[in-house]
């Protein structure tokens, strides 16, 4: 029998989603730091980064539709996402004080928790902790985990065995 097994197909799909999340965070970071336009960033990442090789580094093939959905969604919903993230952060640490890369991780994770009900909340939180782990140290990944977990429990209380508030 030829072809990939069901578990191999699921793993490949999960890896493509993980690569899309990583690329989306990088794109959002670049937009925040360099002020790159949405259409420009989508074109740049889709033509050069997703599944390509940049400066000798091979990038994993990514789920391009998920990548676009996250980047466009964060940009469109940022005015609603930021106050939700601020409310989940420790008092005295507003989102604007958080490093730009972590802001991108939190915004992308918050967006998916609010809009991608087809993906379990725990998967989203775990994926974005992994993305953060690629860039920052353990304390900061712990903060990402805590904030996204709090947002997940608020947005999807039913998945955690609680009634929505």
């Amino acid at each position: 029998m030829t072809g990939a097994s069901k578990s191999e197909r699921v793993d490949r799909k999960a890896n493509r989603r993980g690569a899309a999340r990583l690329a989306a965070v990088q794109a959002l970071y670049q937009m925040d730091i360099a002020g790159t336009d949405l259409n420009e960033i989508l074109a740049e990442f889709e033509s050069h980064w997703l599944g390509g090789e940049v400066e000798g580094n091979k990038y994993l093939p990514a789920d391009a539709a998920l990548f676009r959905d996250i980047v466009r969604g964060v940009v469109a919903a940022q005015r609603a996402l930021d106050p939700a993230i601020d409310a989940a952060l420790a008092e005295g640490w507003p989102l604007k004080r958080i490093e730009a890369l972590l802001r991108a991780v939190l915004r992308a994770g918050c967006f998916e928790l609010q809009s991608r009900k087809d993906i379990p909340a725990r998967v989203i939180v775990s994926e974005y902790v992994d993305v953060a782990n690629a860039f920052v140290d353990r304390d900061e990944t712990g903060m990402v985990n805590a904030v996204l977990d709090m947002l997940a429990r608020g947005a999807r209380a039913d998945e955690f065995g609680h009634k929505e508030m």
Side-chain angles (χ1 to χ4, degrees):
M1 176 180 233
T2 61
S5 70
K6 183 177 179 182
S7 67
E8 288 170 327
R9 288 191 304 271
V10 169
D11 287 348
R12 194 174 310 128
K13 184 177 179 182
N15 288 341
R16 290 175 60 86
R17 282 185 168 181
R21 289 181 176 105
L22 181 64
V25 166
Q26 290 172 313
L28 291 166
Y29 172 77
Q30 187 172 327
M31 289 175 72
D32 193 13
I33 295 298
T36 311
D37 170 79
L38 174 63
N39 291 326
E40 183 182 337
I41 202 81
L42 290 174
E44 177 185 329
F45 270 74
E46 289 179 13
S47 65
H48 298 309
W49 292 76
L50 303 183
E53 190 171 318
V54 178
E55 297 175 5
N57 294 319
K58 178 74 175 146
Y59 287 82
L60 290 172
D63 180 334
L66 180 61
F67 166 77
R68 283 189 301 275
D69 183 52
I70 295 167
V71 176
R72 284 188 179 128
V74 168
V75 170
Q78 190 170 327
R79 287 199 170 125
L81 298 174
D82 286 1
I85 296 166
D86 264 336
L89 286 166
E91 193 171 326
W93 282 98
L95 185 60
K96 66 185 178 192
R97 285 187 64 186
I98 302 295
E99 195 270 322
L101 185 68
L102 291 175
R103 278 197 307 266
V105 171
L106 292 172
R107 285 173 176 152
C110 184
F111 167 75
E112 276 202 70
L113 287 167
Q114 291 181 356
S115 68
R116 296 299 304 251
K117 305 294 184 182
D118 59 315
I119 303 170
R122 285 181 173 93
V123 169
I124 293 170
V125 171
S126 176
E127 286 278 324
Y128 283 103
V129 168
D130 287 347
V131 168
N133 195 42
F135 300 107
V136 298
D137 68 30
R138 188 181 194 108
D139 290 341
E140 291 167 308
T141 58
M143 182 273 294
V144 167
N145 186 52
V147 170
L148 291 179
D149 185 67
M150 184 180 293
L151 290 167
R153 290 173 187 277
R156 303 205 197 166
D158 56 320
E159 288 185 44
F160 294 89
H162 305 292
K163 292 182 179 166
E164 286 196 46
M165 299 182 175

